[in-house]
Amino acid sequence: MSRPKSRGNGQGTAFKRGQTWTACVVVGWKLPDDPSKPKVPVRRTKGGFKSKKDAINYCPKLLIKGNEIRHMTMQELWNEWSEMYEPRIVPSTMGCYKYAYNHFSPLHGTYMDQISSGDLQACMDACKAGHRTHQNMKCVAGLLWGYAFDHNVVNKDITDNLYIGKGSSIQRDPIDAHEVEAIHGSIGKYRYAEYIYCLCYLGFRPGEMLELKKDMLHCAMVETEKEKQTPIWYFVNGKKTPAGKDRVVIVPDQILEIVLDRMFVPGTDFVFPMY
């Protein structure tokens, strides 16, 4: 009967701590003050591995000289991580991550290996923004600690059990007719005022409206009273969700003149280009 292969002396081992595994190697021996007592091993460890195999595979890296923890503040780590990560994602997502990261501002100058899960939770509890921001805060913390763990800045991930709340969101009151009229009165005085005014009536998300192209505007003749033909103008757009694709949005009379005027703006295919 074959026996499982044993690891040689000095190659390291792994042990379970809580729900994760820790890699452990002996990097030297320390002589005790009392000569009658045996020498004490000097160990180097790294925790947070999901399996014993992952911990064992990390042992050779622990044996490499100079593999000590890198001391970096949260801000220093953010700068290094964002430089690597930002080109990989869309700007809107990175914008959400930056906004969430700013809510950890009390910790920006603190060394990563000195930050506890309680410190992160305190920042999240102090944040008065909506549920989505709390989700992004936990996501950002997880990304940062995952990067820090892989680059020897911390020896474990402390973000798994951060609490984001039960899903409460900020309830914002809709703007009223007087505010809509104030926006209308700003057209011609402030850039993008007509964009905001059209947004009030179209119901698109801001990103969706800015993606509207001139060929997305259509016109249909509809019979009304006394058999008269009336033109109805409408957009077909919506890319945020599968349910929103090919969504028909009628252009109300209040903004029809503005929309039609924008069809003749030269140098762009967009109805509402960003300047």
Side-chain angles (χ1 to χ4, degrees):
M1 182 177 178
S2 61
R3 299 179 59 185
K5 184 179 179 180
S6 60
R7 295 177 57 78
N9 290 335
Q11 295 184 14
T13 185
F15 58 89
K16 199 168 187 180
R17 179 182 291 168
Q19 298 299 316
T20 60
W21 288 84
T22 297
C24 177
V25 297
V26 176
V27 295
W29 296 86
K30 181 180 179 180
L31 295 176
D33 295 333
D34 186 352
S36 63
K37 294 184 179 180
K39 57 185 178 180
V40 179
V42 178
R43 295 182 173 89
R44 185 180 294 161
T45 63
K46 190 174 182 70
F49 296 97
K50 294 183 179 180
S51 67
K52 182 178 180 179
K53 182 179 179 180
D54 292 338
I56 290 293
N57 290 339
Y58 195 85
C59 286
K61 190 174 182 180
L62 280 177
L63 290 169
I64 298 175
K65 187 177 180 180
N67 194 44
E68 289 81 10
I69 291 291
R70 296 167 59 199
H71 289 288
M72 299 180 69
T73 64
M74 191 178 193
Q75 184 64 52
E76 291 171 339
L77 185 86
W78 166 267
N79 294 339
E80 182 176 309
W81 170 84
S82 59
E83 183 178 356
M84 175 276 301
Y85 198 75
E86 188 167 3
R88 305 182 182 186
I89 58 177
V90 297
S92 60
T93 300
M94 193 63 194
C96 292
Y97 287 168
K98 289 178 180 179
Y99 178 72
Y101 172 72
N102 287 337
H103 287 289
F104 291 115
S105 58
L107 303 175
H108 287 179
T110 306
Y111 285 106
M112 290 290 291
D113 56 344
Q114 297 177 1
I115 298 175
S116 68
S117 59
D119 295 329
L120 295 175
Q121 189 66 61
C123 291
M124 294 180 65
D125 292 343
C127 174
K128 303 303 181 183
H131 185 64
R132 183 59 181 169
T133 299
H134 287 81
Q135 289 178 321
N136 286 334
M137 289 179 71
K138 181 174 181 178
C139 180
V140 166
L143 290 169
L144 289 178
W145 259 259
Y147 180 87
F149 179 77
D150 290 339
H151 292 79
N152 300 321
V153 180
V154 298
N155 57 15
K156 63 180 179 178
D157 187 348
I158 62 173
T159 65
D160 287 342
N161 296 318
L162 293 177
Y163 179 67
I164 61 175
K166 296 181 179 180
S168 57
S169 298
I170 296 175
Q171 181 64 39
R172 296 182 175 88
D173 295 329
I175 59 176
D176 56 35
H178 296 290
E179 292 170 320
V180 173
E181 189 58 33
I183 295 171
H184 183 257
S186 299
I187 296 176
K189 301 177 182 178
Y190 300 98
R191 173 173 282 184
Y192 298 123
E194 69 272 29
Y195 286 29
I196 300 172
Y197 187 66
C198 291
L199 191 63
C200 293
Y201 286 96
L202 288 173
F204 283 118
R205 299 176 180 89
E208 289 177 333
M209 197 183 82
L210 294 175
E211 290 178 348
L212 290 174
K213 292 187 175 182
K214 294 175 181 178
D215 59 3
M216 295 177 179
L217 182 66
H218 306 275
C219 182
M221 301 302 295
V222 178
E223 286 191 6
T224 58
E225 296 179 0
K226 299 181 181 179
E227 299 181 353
K228 290 184 179 181
Q229 296 283 324
T230 301
I232 300 295
W233 294 88
Y234 61 94
F235 284 109
V236 179
N237 187 37
K239 300 180 179 179
K240 185 68 175 180
T241 63
K245 290 182 178 179
D246 299 327
R247 177 159 51 97
V248 175
V249 176
I250 295 176
V251 180
D253 292 338
Q254 291 90 333
I255 63 171
L256 181 58
E257 182 178 353
I258 297 174
V259 171
L260 293 180
D261 285 345
R262 299 210 59 80
M263 301 303 291
F264 298 98
V265 175
T268 179
D269 294 329
F270 291 95
V271 181
F272 302 99
M274 293 181 286
Y275 297 105

